[in-house]
């Protein structure tokens, strides 16, 4: 919950805007400001104070206990110009909250945390438990001192400016080791503990077995991702209680699923009880991985619990990111977040140049020139299979004549794949032209590099006969100059010479240009590969210099349609 405190009418107005926007996340604290701050500090995970920073500091000072316990506090000035992350930037989430508040209120977020200020990923913001010399290693990264990354297992970390060797170390490990004086330990959620339990098994017996098993195997409890068991035990109090104390979820599988898993130690007892010869080992192994600890029983007599431990490798992560048509303000926030998350970026060199300034320090860039799409797709998938967090970029939407299809043709289920949509060239051009895509439409690439012309021509004829608005991608190049006239001629067999045609070059970019012509008046020689050509259907009109395709043919007769609320 976010506590909201204000002292003046102007502050209350901004406060109420937040409260209205986030009704389920916020609570307004009325009354004397000092009492309101003390109450919110004790009861909420975060605070937004619409007060002067000096006054907020004086009110907070007696309440501060430490960065691990204090809530995140954001301070917004009376004019609503700035949202200052004041306390708990990382641990309390104040840095991100300042950005959210700023976006909602139109205020400038002010974040002074050193790593955030220079674009570094904070070691305590990676989503992994960390311990050791966090401040010292972070300072070394900020100062450009060599910091080594010792990854004992592959894991998709965000970019970090690390060196092969250094006097400081970031160690990624699930082993139960103590950090050195210049070392940070990152604990990946790589361990799955399979658990079997008799009915009524005590929580202490189940938890004690798990803890003892991990200790003897030299494994860290902080790397346990989940407890796994058979679904017949999904409500067993001993298992649920142990998971609660460890702070991990319980994942269950059917007896049929578990019975299909080959295990080293099958038993007749669980087969008779729940229908599978193995619970602990099979449940741990079902998602794949290496069996580190075979099934063992608790020391109680009779033993009422069993467990086994499996290490699952980190799945590499491939984000296929659409950059939009080129204008920075048409790059989506989700795309920006994925670019900053990726430790490896793969892309066409000219697209990399568009977003290079958004990359975090330490991002490895693998760029290549035109014509290497399949090679870039293979490279991105290979890097993800090595356990990296990878972003593969393309213009427009990566799934439209871009990198998603060759990448996904290479990728299997051994990596995580995330698609990040982008604004396509057709949509960017349509917004400039007016509303040419107001009714059914189709996009067709005129490049016969990957598609035989016979197939392209058949599709153009089908679109012409169906009276679809057509957007042509890759319409004309120096070595391919006859396809566009041919395609326009096919459309002309079904549409009037006065049919509006929109031509947009470099849509949304500073050097962009656009014009509206007609099917008879368009000169194909004025078109190149950086151009999108949109040909209207029989209902498309030019209104005040803009292309407009009505939403329905009835509109031509003066009749309106019911509003479509599905968009």
């Amino acid at each position: 919950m976010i506590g909201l405190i204000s002292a003046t009418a102007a502050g209350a107005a901004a406060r109420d805007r937040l409260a209205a926007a986030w009704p389920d996340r916020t609570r307004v604290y009325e009354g004397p400001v000092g009492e309101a701050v003390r109450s919110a500090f004790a009861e909420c995970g975060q605070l937004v104070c619409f007060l002067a920073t000096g006054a907020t500091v004086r009110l907070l000072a007696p309440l501060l206990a430490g960065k691990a316990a204090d809530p995140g506090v954001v301070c917004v000035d009376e004019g609503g110009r700035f949202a200052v992350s004041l306390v708990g930037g990382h641990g309390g989430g104040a840095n991100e909250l300042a950005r959210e508040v700023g976006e909602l209120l139109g205020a400038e977020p002010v974040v002074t945390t050193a790593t955030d200020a220079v674009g570094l990923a904070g070691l305590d913001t990676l989503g992994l438990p960390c311990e050791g010399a966090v401040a010292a290693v972070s300072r070394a990264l900020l100062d450009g001192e060599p910091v080594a990354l010792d990854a004992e297992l592959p894991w998709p970390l965000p970019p970090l400016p690390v060196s092969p060797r250094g006097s400081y170390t970031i160690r990624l490990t699930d082993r139960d080791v103590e950090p050195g004086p210049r070392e940070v330990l990152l604990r990946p959620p790589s361990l799955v503990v399979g658990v079997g339990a008799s009915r009524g098994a005590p929580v202490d017996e189940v938890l004690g077995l798990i803890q003892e098993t991990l200790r003897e195997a030299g494994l860290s409890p902080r790397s346990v991702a989940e407890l796994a068991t058979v679904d017949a035990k999904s409500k067993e109090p001993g298992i649920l209680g142990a998971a609660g104390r460890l702070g991990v979820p319980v994942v269950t599988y059917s007896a049929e699923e578990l019975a299909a898993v080959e295990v080293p130690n099958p038993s007749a007892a669980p087969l008779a009880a729940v229908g599978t010869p193995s619970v602990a080992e099979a449940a741990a192994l079902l998602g794949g991985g290496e069996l580190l600890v075979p099934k063992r029983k608790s020391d109680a007599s009779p033993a009422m619990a069993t467990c086994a431990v499996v290490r699952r490798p980190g799945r590499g992560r491939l984000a296929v990111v659409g950059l939009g048509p080129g204008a920075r303000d048409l790059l989506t926030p989700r795309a920006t977040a994925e670019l900053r998350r990726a430790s490896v970026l793969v892309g066409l060199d000219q697209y990399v140049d568009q977003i290079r300034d958004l990359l975090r320090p330490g991002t490895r860039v693998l760029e290549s020139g035109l014509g290497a799409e399949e090679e870039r797709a293979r490279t991105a998938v290979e890097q993800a299979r090595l356990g990296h967090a990878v972003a593969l970029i393309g213009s427009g939407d990566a799934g439209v004549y871009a990198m998603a299809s060759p990448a996904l043709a290479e990728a299997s289920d051994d990596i995580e794949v995330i698609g990040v949509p982008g604004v396509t060239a057709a949509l960017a051009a349509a917004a400039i032209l007016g509303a040419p895509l107001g009714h059914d439409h189709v996009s067709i690439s005129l490049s016969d590099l990957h598609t035989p012309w016979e197939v392209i021509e058949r599709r153009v004829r089908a679109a012409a006969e169906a009276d679809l608005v057509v957007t042509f991608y890759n319409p004309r190049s120096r070595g391919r100059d006859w396809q566009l006239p041919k395609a326009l001629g096919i459309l002309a067999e079904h549409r009037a010479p006065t049919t509006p045609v929109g031509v947009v070059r470099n849509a949304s970019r500073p050097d962009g240009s656009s014009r509206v012509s007609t099917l008879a008046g368009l000169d194909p020689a004025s078109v190149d590969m950086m151009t999108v050509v949109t040909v209207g259907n029989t209902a498309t009109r030019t209104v005040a210099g803009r292309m407009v395709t009505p939403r329905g043919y009835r509109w031509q007769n003066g009749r309106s349609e019911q509003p479509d609320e599905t968009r």
Side-chain angles (χ1 to χ4, degrees):
M1 187 63 66
I2 304 171
L4 305 181
I5 302 103
S6 62
T8 66
R15 176 203 68 192
D16 292 344
R17 287 175 61 193
L18 271 191
W22 298 338
D24 298 328
R25 297 178 60 190
T26 57
R27 175 181 171 186
V28 174
Y29 284 79
E30 303 279 7
V33 172
E35 293 179 13
V37 169
R38 286 190 291 272
S39 296
F41 195 91
E43 297 168 0
C44 297
Q46 295 176 318
L47 283 70
V48 179
C49 298
F50 295 87
L51 307 167
T53 53
T56 307
V57 167
R58 285 190 292 274
L59 291 169
L60 291 176
L63 309 175
L64 299 177
K67 63 186 299 182
D70 294 334
V73 180
V74 171
C75 189
V76 179
D77 66 286
E78 288 287 302
R81 297 171 301 165
F82 303 104
V84 182
S85 174
L86 199 62
V87 173
H90 284 169
N95 291 351
E96 182 57 33
L97 180 59
R99 296 184 182 100
E100 288 187 84
V101 170
E103 183 176 352
L104 184 62
L105 299 181
E108 179 73 22
V110 179
V111 176
T112 59
T113 306
T115 50
D116 292 61
V118 298
L120 280 176
L123 297 177
D124 54 352
T125 66
L126 302 183
L128 303 179
C130 66
E131 54 195 270
V134 175
V137 174
S138 297
R139 174 54 59 190
L141 289 170
L142 289 165
D143 290 344
E145 296 187 45
V147 176
L149 175 63
D150 179 8
E152 296 180 2
L153 63 162
W155 208 264
L157 294 174
L160 295 167
V162 293
S163 306
R165 287 177 293 275
S167 54
Y168 295 84
T169 304
I170 300 168
R171 195 198 313 191
L172 182 80
T173 181
D174 57 16
R175 295 189 298 115
D176 189 16
V177 295
E178 293 294 322
R182 293 188 167 193
E183 184 175 59
V184 167
L185 301 182
L186 297 178
R187 302 294 192 184
S190 55
L191 303 178
V192 177
V193 180
V195 181
S198 301
R199 181 178 298 176
V203 173
D204 290 342
E205 182 174 345
V206 177
L207 181 62
L209 172 63
I210 295 170
Q211 292 174 329
E212 181 64 22
T213 299
L214 293 171
R215 183 164 52 250
E216 291 184 3
L219 300 170
S220 172
R222 302 190 78 185
S223 281
V224 175
E226 62 191 43
L227 302 189
T229 191
V230 65
D231 55 10
K233 299 295 180 180
S234 63
K235 297 182 180 179
E236 189 63 45
I239 296 177
L240 295 176
R245 294 192 196 177
L246 290 169
V248 299
V250 175
V251 176
T252 63
Y253 303 101
S254 69
E256 290 76 15
E257 290 176 297
L258 298 182
V261 179
E262 185 176 343
V263 297
N265 300 293
S267 171
L271 179 61
V274 294
T276 172
S278 173
V279 173
E281 288 180 339
L285 284 166
L286 189 56
E290 175 190 4
L291 183 63
L292 300 180
V293 182
K295 182 183 71 175
R296 59 173 291 180
K297 297 180 180 180
S298 58
D299 294 332
S301 183
M304 299 185 73
T306 60
C307 79
V309 183
V310 162
R311 174 185 286 142
R312 289 183 185 169
R315 296 180 74 204
R317 189 175 191 278
L318 173 61
V320 187
V321 180
L323 301 181
R328 178 58 59 86
D329 58 353
L330 293 182
L331 178 69
T332 67
R334 185 179 300 180
T336 300
E338 289 293 346
L339 294 174
R340 295 177 62 78
R341 178 173 180 167
S343 60
V344 179
L345 182 83
V346 181
L348 179 67
D349 47 14
Q350 64 189 42
Y351 298 153
V352 172
D353 289 341
Q354 290 179 22
I355 47 83
R356 198 182 297 272
D357 62 301
L358 296 177
L359 305 179
R360 288 187 184 272
T363 304
R364 185 156 52 97
V365 177
L366 305 176
E367 54 188 310
S368 53
L370 286 168
E373 288 85 359
E374 287 79 7
E375 179 184 345
R376 283 194 292 275
R378 284 192 295 270
T379 297
V381 172
E382 288 167 2
Q383 289 295 316
R385 285 189 175 132
L386 292 174
H388 299 303
V390 182
L392 174 63
I393 59 174
S395 66
D397 182 284
V400 179
Y401 301 122
M403 296 304 301
S405 52
L408 269 60
E410 294 282 340
S412 52
D413 61 2
D414 58 343
I415 62 173
E416 182 183 6
V417 178
I418 298 93
V420 182
V423 178
T424 67
L427 295 179
I432 293 169
L433 293 171
L437 308 183
H439 205 287
D440 298 337
H441 54 274
V442 63
S443 295
I444 299 176
S445 171
L446 294 183
S447 171
D448 55 3
L449 180 62
H450 298 290
T451 306
W453 174 254
E454 293 77 14
V455 175
I456 297 173
E457 182 174 336
R458 187 163 66 246
R459 291 172 179 172
V460 174
R461 288 192 181 280
E465 293 169 1
D467 199 29
L468 298 173
V469 176
V470 181
T471 298
F472 289 124
Y473 279 73
N474 306 312
R476 184 178 182 275
S477 66
R478 281 179 290 185
R480 190 175 45 76
D481 59 3
W482 59 269
Q483 286 92 339
L484 179 60
K486 177 69 172 177
L488 294 175
I490 294 171
L491 293 176
E493 296 173 10
H494 300 268
R495 300 178 193 185
T498 56
T499 299
V501 177
V503 179
V504 180
R505 188 177 191 279
N506 285 335
S508 84
R509 301 184 187 184
D511 60 344
S513 61
S514 67
R515 66 185 186 281
V516 176
S517 183
T518 63
L519 194 53
L522 176 64
D523 179 8
S526 65
V527 173
D528 61 15
M529 285 289 286
M530 305 304 292
T531 305
V532 171
V533 177
T534 300
V535 182
N537 66 9
T538 58
T540 305
R541 299 289 182 266
T542 301
V543 180
R546 293 181 285 269
M547 286 181 69
V548 179
T549 301
R551 291 179 55 193
Y553 288 86
R554 294 189 184 95
W555 192 62
Q556 298 177 77
N557 301 322
R559 287 179 286 176
S560 61
E561 301 177 16
Q562 293 298 314
D564 184 349
E565 300 295 343
T566 62
R567 287 175 177 76

